[in-house]
Structures are given as structure tokens and as C-alpha cells.
Amino acid sequence: MSSNEPWAVDDVGLLSPAWAGSAVAAATGDAALLRAMLEAEAALVRARAELGLAPAGAAAAVTEAVAASAEWADPRSLALRARSGGNPVIPLVADLTAAVAARSPRAGTADHVHRGATSQDILDTAMMLVAARALDLTVADLDRAATALAALAVEHRDTVLAGRTLTQHAVPTTLGLKAVGWRSLLLAARDRLAAVRAGLPAQLGGAAGTLAAFQSDAVDESLGLRLVTAYARQTGLAEPLLPWHTLRTPVADLGAALAFTGGVLGKLAADVLTLARTEIGELSEGSGGESSAMPHKSNPVRAALIAATARQLPALAGILFGSMTAEDERPAGAWHAEWQPLREALRLAGGAAGDAAELVEGLRVHPERMRENLDRGGGLIAAERLAAALAPLIGRGEARAALARAARRVVAERTDLARALRADPALTGLLSEQRLRELTDPARCLGSAGALVDRALQETL
């Protein structure tokens, strides 16, 4: 393949359908990261100007050059030149300095670009800006999904289906209860991401985290602290207590929240994938995916992509946790190892949140299949309730034994539980026909499911 072909170097997500073409992909792409790095550089000059450390004209000139970056900034060139210094900030500073010098007639204006900062100050701040924008999109999609799940729970509050444990029918439950369970998890993920989003900090410490280059000959030790305050305000990020070049709590917290979100969405996807199986058929996606070989297929693609994401995010978070063991005041390798995993984690979580919203909004429910599956078990799904009803009459042990005999007969003779119990001499006359019908009706075996749904729906967005 010729390197002159337009797709030769562009990563457009060919192997990443979980986020390709999504809003979060655009918010985390190279263009977005470049814009965030430039915003961080401009914010630093403006903050210095606030404190009288730079002329107001310099702040204006840098901000104008950043606004015109489409005319001179080249992400591909920056990426290639980053290899010499190990990060893209070094060549970016050179290009921004040249752009300011070309636009400002005043001598020395360009000297205020990046003054006192280190590359990690700018790239960490830029990554937090990118993360903030990606999280805003992700939280909005989680809210969409939670809203759709609330409507699903209300509509199907009392829709009965088989509760399954260890893959087998256990006791009846309701789709409403499953839906509020999914929603509760989504709200927990939303709250974690929102909390992390609110605390995403700017980074400013200078070469080794002492802010020394910003002090110059100043006697006032608080000058650096006031600059951090101004810088955080200019970026719109939180003010850090300390420079966090090797104190990577913000990145670790972000990775943990993203991995948690992946697990939450993965639970939803796992249930949909199970209930959408051909032999179960209780749920289906509104617009299933095609197969390249089998024209009859309608695959649960949204759920499959979410499930793939849920398997990747813990590993990416693991890399971010591993980078916490960063040596000295600025590390070699640990910081660099974070960049791509963090961006991919933001993309995957954001893409999965969008897929989850689409999945739930278009989810199709098939109550008739739920009833068929309940009946297929011959009424054994009501065994727990029958055991509780028979225990006061014949003792707990005998009740369990009688139900075990009846269960074996249901399987061996392909009958139902009510008939098997009527045929047991030990139970003759204990339960009337009406009472037996009531006890074996799945809709009467739901316990507090409806009340749990109602209580869960009180949890607001």
C-alpha cells in the first residue's frame, strides 16, 4: 500500500466499531488533543498575565495564534517530531512560538509561550480537558439509557419471566425488576463519572513540581500557588492541592470509574444477549445486525459491542493503576504508558454508553415467549412457594422430599407440577384444586418484586 493513499496513516476506527464515528471519538481524537494542548498553553499565558507575570498583549497574541491553529498546526508533523523528545508538547511549543512571533510585531511576545512549564504540565492538563469533554458526552448517554429503562420498568412492572440462577430456571421475577436493576447500576456509574469529572485537575508544577520557574526572584512563596489557582480557572478544571506529576490519583480514579462503567453496561449487555438467544427469545434489539453468510440472522450487535467493551476496560484500567508506581518527581515510561490506554478507555466507555442508550430505547419485549418459557418447565419454577405452603402441613423436610419426588416425575413423565403433586399419596387432601392452581401460578410467586420496582424508580436522575 502506498503511503500517499489518504487512509494510509489515519486511524478511523476500522477495528473499533464500538466507538467509530461517535461523538466521543471526535472528542478524543488527535485534533481534539491538539486543540486541548493549545488551550492549555494559552491558559498558562493568560494566568501569568493575571498576576502581572506576562504582558496582557502576550496573552492576547498567544490566544489569537491558538484560535488560528488550523492555519499552521499539523498533527502528523507533531507526531513524527515527538519521537525525538518522547512527547508531542516539545514540537508543539516550537510551532506555537513561531506562530506567535509571526503574528505579533512586538519583540519578545513569543518568549512568553510555555514559560516556566514542563511538557507534562501541558499534556496532563490537555488530557484532563479531553477527559472532561468525553465524560460530559458519556454521562449524557447514561442519562438517556436510564430514562429509557425507567419507562421500560413502568411498562413491564408486572411482566413475569423466569428468574434464572446458574443458567437454570429458579423462581419467577419481572422484567420491571430487571430493568430497575440495570437502571440502578447505570445511575451508580453516572454518579461516579460525574464525581470524577468534577474533580479533574489542571496540572502545573514546572520541571520537578516546585513551581520554581514561576517564582523567579520573587520573595512571595505564595506566587506559585496563586498562579495554579489562576491557571485552573482559565482552563475550567479543578485546582489541584499539589502538582501530580507522579501522584497519579486523578488518572487512577478516572480509569476505575471508566472500568466500573464498562462492567455496569456489560451486565446489561450480558442479560440482553442471553434473553435474545433464539431458544429463549424474550428480548430482541430493535434493529439487529446482519450476517455476511446467513440472511436470516438479526444479531444483537449493540449488546455484543458493549460486551466487548466490558472485557477491555478492566485491562486498560490496570495499565493506569500500574503507572501509579512512578519514580522520582517525574517518571520515565510510567507517564508515557498512560496516554493511549486512557484515551481508549474514554472512547470505549463513551461508545458503550451511546450503544446502551440506543439498545434500551429500541428494545423489543416478547411477553408471549416469557410465558412459553415459564410453562416449558412444567411449573417447577413455583417449587419454592409450594415448599413454603406445604411445610406447615407436613413439616419442612417432608415438604422438600415430596417436591423432589414431584420434580423427578415432571421430568420423567413430561407432566406438570400440579399433576405430579396430585398423584403423590402423601399429599392427598392437603391442598384444594384452587389452592394448587394459585400456588403454581408464576404471577402469584413474585414476592415484593412490584414494591422493589416502585422503590427503585424513586431514585432520580
Side-chain angles (χ1 to χ4, degrees):
M1 182 190 301
S2 168
S3 61
N4 293 325
E5 292 175 338
W7 56 81
V9 296
D10 290 338
D11 181 0
V12 294
L14 192 61
L15 297 179
S16 302
W19 54 256
S22 66
V24 77
T28 56
D30 284 350
L33 178 59
L34 172 56
R35 182 172 64 252
M37 289 190 292
L38 289 168
E39 289 172 0
E41 291 285 6
L44 178 58
V45 185
R46 291 196 301 270
R48 294 181 66 247
E50 273 191 42
L51 301 185
L53 301 175
V62 173
T63 299
E64 290 170 8
V66 166
S69 60
E71 301 173 9
W72 55 265
D74 182 353
R76 175 67 175 166
S77 172
L78 291 174
L80 295 176
R81 287 184 287 150
R83 289 179 57 80
S84 64
N87 74 73
V89 177
I90 297 171
L92 178 64
V93 170
D95 291 355
L96 177 57
T97 301
V100 173
R103 285 166 170 74
S104 177
R106 185 180 297 275
T109 297
D111 293 341
H112 289 280
V113 172
H114 198 71
R115 180 175 291 184
T118 189
S119 296
Q120 191 171 355
D121 290 332
I122 300 304
L123 189 51
D124 276 350
T125 298
M127 290 297 285
M128 294 298 101
L129 288 170
V130 167
R133 290 156 188 167
L135 291 183
D136 287 343
L137 296 168
T138 303
V139 167
D141 279 334
L142 289 175
D143 282 343
R144 271 181 61 203
T147 298
L149 284 171
L152 183 72
V154 170
E155 182 179 357
H156 293 282
R157 177 186 184 274
D158 301 313
T159 300
V160 185
L161 75 162
R164 296 168 172 93
T165 62
L166 279 70
T167 76
Q168 308 297 299
H169 282 203
V171 296
T173 186
T174 67
L175 182 59
L177 188 55
K178 291 182 78 71
V180 293
W182 298 331
R183 179 177 179 268
S184 178
L185 286 174
L186 260 65
L187 293 179
R190 188 277 311 270
D191 290 347
R192 283 163 171 77
L193 291 180
V196 169
R197 164 67 176 87
L200 292 176
Q203 174 75 282
L204 192 63
T210 64
L211 298 165
F214 301 111
Q215 294 284 143
S216 187
D217 295 327
V219 176
D220 182 4
E221 287 186 345
S222 70
L223 179 61
L225 304 184
R226 288 187 281 120
L227 180 60
V228 172
T229 301
Y231 182 56
R233 183 170 58 251
Q234 288 289 343
T235 62
L237 295 169
E239 180 182 349
L241 179 66
L242 296 168
W244 45 281
H245 294 147
T246 54
L247 309 174
R248 306 306 285 175
T249 301
V251 176
D253 282 348
L254 178 53
L258 293 169
F260 179 86
T261 300
V264 162
L265 298 174
K267 162 59 178 170
L268 166 63
D271 282 348
V272 171
L273 289 170
T274 296
L275 297 178
R277 287 177 178 272
T278 303
E279 59 271 24
I280 297 177
E282 296 175 356
L283 297 177
S284 61
E285 290 193 7
S287 55
E290 298 175 346
S291 165
S292 64
M294 294 166 284
H296 67 283
K297 294 291 290 297
S298 180
N299 296 317
V301 175
R302 300 277 79 73
L305 293 177
I306 295 169
T309 287
R311 287 164 170 80
Q312 295 174 75
L313 279 168
L316 295 171
I319 297 172
L320 301 179
F321 277 103
S323 291
M324 293 183 72
T325 56
E327 73 282 358
D328 302 325
E329 279 59 58
R330 291 192 47 232
W335 173 54
H336 305 73
E338 294 174 350
W339 305 341
Q340 278 291 85
L342 178 55
R343 174 159 72 172
E344 186 66 9
L346 288 166
R347 287 176 164 179
L348 286 170
D355 279 337
E358 290 183 23
L359 168 63
V360 177
E361 287 172 347
L363 194 64
R364 295 177 180 174
V365 179
H366 307 292
E368 71 286 353
R369 288 297 299 272
M370 295 175 180
R371 184 68 212 194
E372 289 173 12
N373 291 333
L374 285 166
D375 293 342
R376 188 171 290 120
L380 290 176
I381 200 163
E384 180 187 56
R385 187 167 187 238
L386 277 159
L390 288 170
L393 303 175
I394 57 175
R396 183 179 178 186
E398 181 53 34
R400 288 180 60 86
L403 283 164
R405 292 193 301 271
R408 288 193 293 271
R409 177 170 288 180
V410 167
V411 174
E413 301 177 7
R414 296 183 179 275
T415 185
D416 62 56
L417 184 57
R419 288 190 181 92
L421 290 172
R422 282 196 295 268
D424 190 331
L427 304 179
T428 301
L430 291 179
L431 297 171
S432 68
E433 284 295 319
Q434 181 178 350
R435 180 61 173 154
L436 194 54
R437 282 195 300 271
E438 291 173 353
L439 291 172
T440 55
D441 180 1
R444 295 173 177 263
C445 304
L446 298 175
S448 299
L452 288 168
V453 171
D454 297 340
R455 183 169 70 173
L457 286 172
Q458 294 174 15
E459 186 179 9
T460 58
L461 293 176

